[in-house]
Amino acid sequence: MTKGSISSFIEKYYLHFNAATVVDAAKAYEEQLNNGAKMMVTLAGAMSTAELGKIFAEMIRKDKVQIISCTGANLEEDIMNLVAHDYYKRVPNYRDLTPQDEWALLEKGLNRVTDTCIPEEEAFRRLQKHIYKIWKDAEDSGERFFPHEFMYKMLLSGVLEEYYQIDIKDSWMYAAAEKNLPIVVPGWEDSTMGNIFASYVMKGELKASTMKSGIEYMAYLADYYIKNSGNGIGFFQIGGGIAGDFPICVVPMLYQDMEMEEIPFWSYFCQISDSTTSYGSYSGAVPNEKITWGKLDIDTPKFIIESDATIVAPLIFAYLLDM
């Protein structure tokens, strides 16, 4: 298949150092899929607020990703962008803000993520009233679901359609919901919706048990890995943190703790990160360190791209989509 202009550009000009690794990692990712392997993509940081959904949704639709691990923030912020995009405020001079400037943003209900402010009323509260009903209905019916499953229910119910402010095709969560794509959301409590759910539990309006837990997410991921790793499952990590640290551990857990000695290692590994190992950073650990933890094999294709994921990830995705 003929590659598009972006793919041709990086193949021609990205020849050395981090640039060359971008091309090598993209080609190896493509090879994994061509060989029948599946791919997990992990999302850390604020990739949803960075509007990665514009291209990541197409990756999902074109079956270039089969399972996702993400933070609770990324899970909800894609939907917030869907329903409140026009109310977001960009602050290009964010490096020059004083504490007084930051306080003024707070008083306006604008929560800042680097150069972008998320509007509390139109984003957080707009979702809250709808997701609470879905949580409560499940509890009243004696049902329990994972955080991402509740979000899928909200999206597919159509209750948010009146608020849409971007093209639905640019929402990766909607694309994932349509496919019922497996997602794990470790540490979901560390998110706005997680905080809101906790507040309802503290007020006695919901039970904590209505929301399936992180341990259940690990068991869910383990079951997926056992059933789908026959041809390999690759690991494409955007950023660091719990979104990557949690799921990569499923292999040594199965091998060492479940004593499943035939379980395969992750078949591919790539991380885009600017973290370094000099302070004992796990997120910045070079891939070979993961061999010692029983996560990667000696000959697993391994790539680390020391750069900005908001720049690099769309380029790799564009290559995979023949753009």
Side-chain angles (χ1 to χ4, degrees):
M1 183 180 292
T2 302
K3 289 288 183 183
S5 56
I6 297 174
S7 303
S8 298
F9 178 87
I10 65 172
E11 284 190 318
K12 182 174 181 179
Y13 295 108
Y14 281 34
L15 304 176
H16 301 282
F17 319 132
N18 271 302
T21 308
V22 169
V23 180
D24 293 343
K27 289 182 175 180
Y29 188 133
E30 188 172 57
E31 185 177 357
Q32 287 282 305
L33 297 181
N34 290 342
N35 291 336
K38 297 184 183 300
M39 188 64 70
M40 167 177 270
V41 172
T42 79
L43 301 177
M47 298 306 296
S48 288
T49 293
E51 299 189 65
L52 187 69
K54 280 177 171 279
I55 193 165
F56 191 46
E58 188 67 6
M59 287 281 289
I60 293 168
R61 284 191 290 269
K62 293 294 176 63
D63 298 318
K64 305 293 185 181
V65 50
Q66 286 74 42
I67 181 170
I68 294 168
S69 172
C70 72
T71 58
N74 276 300
L75 188 79
E76 67 195 16
E77 287 176 14
D78 178 80
I79 305 174
M80 291 175 185
N81 181 59
L82 173 65
V83 303
H85 182 270
D86 295 350
Y87 295 95
Y88 278 57
K89 177 179 174 59
R90 183 142 183 269
V91 187
N93 63 328
Y94 67 93
R95 289 183 175 88
D96 303 324
L97 296 179
T98 65
Q100 289 75 23
D101 294 332
E102 304 278 19
W103 187 263
L105 290 172
L106 170 65
E107 290 187 317
K108 293 176 183 176
L110 294 169
N111 303 119
R112 185 169 69 83
V113 181
T114 312
D115 71 344
T116 302
C117 293
I118 302 175
E120 181 161 341
E121 198 62 36
E122 293 80 9
F124 304 155
R125 304 309 166 194
R126 187 167 282 177
L127 294 191
Q128 179 179 355
K129 65 180 180 180
H130 294 293
I131 197 67
Y132 171 75
K133 183 179 187 307
I134 294 171
W135 290 336
K136 185 62 176 170
D137 287 349
E139 183 167 300
D140 291 345
S141 300
E143 296 179 299
R144 305 175 64 242
F145 298 100
F146 284 117
H148 78 277
E149 292 176 317
F150 279 116
M151 292 298 200
Y152 282 180
K153 287 178 180 293
M154 181 169 61
L155 283 168
L156 297 177
S157 72
V159 296
L160 299 179
E161 288 181 6
E162 63 179 296
Y163 308 118
Y164 289 175
Q165 295 185 351
I166 63 169
D167 193 323
I168 191 66
K169 72 178 179 61
D170 291 336
S171 166
W172 73 261
M173 270 294 290
Y174 191 83
E178 284 191 308
K179 283 182 171 285
N180 196 26
L181 203 73
I183 301 182
V184 294
V185 192
W188 173 75
E189 301 82 1
D190 177 22
S191 67
T192 298
M193 292 301 117
N195 291 172
I196 289 171
F197 183 84
S199 75
Y200 286 123
V201 172
M202 293 171 70
K203 289 182 287 189
E205 296 180 31
L206 289 172
K207 297 174 184 175
S209 58
T210 299
M211 190 67 62
K212 289 189 176 181
S213 70
I215 295 297
E216 289 170 289
Y217 257 138
M218 181 58 81
Y220 168 83
L221 174 59
D223 182 65
Y224 177 90
Y225 198 92
I226 292 166
K227 292 176 179 176
N228 291 276
S229 57
N231 290 324
I233 302 178
F235 198 96
F236 188 83
Q237 183 173 346
I238 299 175
I242 195 171
D245 298 348
F246 179 94
I248 203 168
C249 292
V250 75
V251 171
M253 185 269 285
L254 290 171
Y255 182 90
Q256 298 168 12
D257 304 318
M258 292 297 294
E259 300 180 351
M260 299 177 67
E261 296 185 358
E262 300 304 314
I263 202 75
F265 294 101
W266 293 97
S267 60
Y268 163 100
F269 178 82
C270 176
Q271 182 180 8
I272 308 168
S273 174
D274 59 2
S275 182
T276 64
T277 60
S278 58
Y279 295 102
S281 163
Y282 181 76
S283 295
V286 295
N288 281 351
E289 184 176 300
K290 292 172 174 57
I291 295 173
T292 73
W293 289 89
K295 299 166 184 174
L296 304 179
D297 204 352
I298 292 172
D299 56 0
T300 301
K302 308 173 190 70
F303 308 91
I304 187 160
I305 304 167
E306 296 175 318
S307 189
D308 184 336
T310 62
I311 297 170
V312 172
L315 287 172
I316 292 179
F317 293 164
Y319 183 93
L320 294 164
L321 293 167
D322 299 319
M323 290 181 166

